[in-house]
Amino acid sequence: MSLTNKILLGMLLGVLVGVIFNLLLGVDDPQTVPTTSYGQWIQTVLINGVLDTIGQIFVASLKLLVVPLVFVSLVCGAASLGGHNRMGALATKTLLLYLMTTAMAIALAMGVAVFIQPGAAVDMALSSTYTAPPAPSIKQTFLDIFPSNPVQAMAEGNMLQVIVFSILFGIAISRTGGEIGSNMKTFFEHLNEVVLKMMLLLMQLAPYGVFCLLAKLFANIGFAAITDLAKYFFTVLFVLLLHGFVVYGLLLKILSGLSPIIFFKKMWKVAVFAFSTASSNATLPVTMRTVEHDLGVDNKVSSFSVPLGATINMDGTAIMQGVATVFIAQVYNIDIGVSGYLMVILTATLASIGTAGVPSVGLVMLAMVLQSVGLPVEGIALIIGVDRLLDMVRTAVNVTGDATVSVIVAKSENMVDKTRYDDMKLNAEIDPV
């Protein structure tokens, strides 16, 4: 069986096993301790022991590649482009497209939510309070983009700072010239091959890691959480799928002229992987390989646009914010008006950059959005129960957006191998080692 099919099978079996465990435990709250001895054994040994351990090892093994992959790949791309004026154009196009798709995502989400009204009939008391983490100031946001210590930035996984340092380092190599510049460029190109080979080695763990992650998740998710918020849950899910397929498909066709059908066929395995890990950073190695190998995007573009997208592209999160804002406003019976909706679009779009390096970024951004229009931040407690499951779908949408923008920007710079893009034989696999 191919590795891609093994990952898909691991995902399906993980969901099935998780649901069976949840039914055996008979609890809807993951914090509830099972009363039976076999239930306690399942919870302690299997779910919190074996499944959680293997799942965390798998995610950690993927994340260990993120900084080396971004640094080495981006240095290679910047070294190739540093002697030209195209780096500035690439960066500008990429950033503007990410901001545009985020604004479109939240506007679409609010439009659908206003029409469906997921919170109109909800009479739900706050079961808990939510304290919003502090959001960084605008000044601090810009200061945090530029590293004072690149080694510390890499150690802490601060991707915006790693990206800035990598670009500067690559440009410096291209400007050095001569034998030194040529040798350094060759060294990083060889190192890039080593990092990719390491990724292929670790990907052999993917089917088992995906199985454990999803089995643990569905073992702990009670169905009551979804049924209580069914209208909100399915509204967010509908907008995510609408944006992921229709909006991205139209943008790809209009702005690049390339086939959306081929694009989605080649991206499905990345979306499945992103859904399983719920982490754009953990999916980054797979996204970059698919964008370059399957979609034919030049490394000079993908090495910049894909890591930047994994850091600041928050389309899926923006959709959650749009629906959640309307939902919370309807639950509290507060009319924020047209000006309020416009403020939400502006705040969420700008916050997609400003909160990129903050833990629990989706909830931090949502707290900022709610505060900007005078809605109670405590309302976030209403939706936390189903947010983890929706986060998986949001991540799949985010990585699809990263690839869409990469292809569009590359096509505008004539850096897409059209023959490779159209070749469906390249769709199949992550190459075995």
Side-chain angles (χ1 to χ4, degrees), residues 85-95 409 412-413:
N85 295 323
R86 300 168 79 174
M87 177 60 78
L90 282 174
T92 302
K93 288 179 184 178
T94 304
L95 185 59
V409 172
S412 71
E413 295 287 328

Side-chain angles (χ1 to χ4, degrees), residues 136-348:
S137 65
I138 296 177
K139 175 184 176 181
Q140 193 61 43
T141 295
F142 284 106
L143 289 176
D144 287 344
I145 293 176
F146 300 95
S148 59
N149 185 339
V151 177
Q152 181 181 4
M154 293 180 185
E156 295 176 351
N158 191 322
M159 296 313 300
L160 281 176
Q161 294 187 3
V162 173
I163 288 170
V164 170
F165 176 72
S166 303
I167 292 174
L168 293 175
F169 196 88
I171 292 174
I173 291 176
S174 70
R175 300 292 174 89
T176 301
E179 185 178 352
I180 295 177
S182 177
N183 289 342
M184 285 296 293
K185 185 178 176 182
T186 302
F187 168 77
F188 274 96
E189 288 172 349
H190 291 169
L191 189 58
N192 191 42
E193 292 296 322
V194 174
V195 173
L196 289 176
K197 184 60 68 174
M198 186 177 178
M199 182 202 83
L200 296 176
L201 279 169
L202 293 177
M203 282 305 300
Q204 306 308 309
L205 298 173
Y208 312 102
V210 164
F211 168 81
C212 293
L213 287 172
L214 291 186
K216 179 179 183 295
L217 174 66
F218 280 87
N220 287 332
I221 288 182
F223 289 105
I226 297 178
T227 54
D228 289 343
L229 294 169
K231 203 169 184 181
Y232 166 80
F233 178 86
F234 287 108
T235 300
V236 176
L237 188 61
F238 170 73
V239 182
L240 286 169
L241 296 176
L242 182 66
H243 188 76
F245 287 103
V246 178
V247 175
Y248 287 150
L250 288 175
L251 285 176
L252 190 68
K253 186 65 178 177
I254 294 171
L255 298 181
S256 73
L258 297 172
S259 169
I261 295 176
I262 294 176
F263 174 83
F264 289 123
K265 283 183 178 179
K266 292 190 174 186
M267 279 298 295
W268 77 270
K269 62 180 179 290
V270 183
V272 167
F273 198 82
F275 178 87
S276 304
T277 60
S279 170
S280 295
N281 278 346
T283 313
L284 183 59
V286 183
T287 309
M288 285 193 67
R289 176 165 175 79
T290 301
V291 169
E292 292 180 18
H293 182 267
D294 294 0
L295 298 175
V297 174
D298 196 301
N299 174 264
K300 300 179 186 66
V301 177
S302 63
S303 63
F304 173 77
S305 59
V306 176
L308 183 66
T311 308
I312 71 170
N313 180 32
M314 300 290 179
D315 288 7
T317 304
I319 288 170
M320 177 273 289
Q321 293 165 6
V323 177
T325 300
V326 175
F327 174 78
I328 291 171
Q330 290 171 351
V331 169
Y332 285 95
N333 198 25
I334 299 174
D335 184 11
I336 62 176
V338 176
S339 60
Y341 291 129
L342 293 176
M343 179 60 70
V344 170
I345 295 174
L346 178 63
T347 305

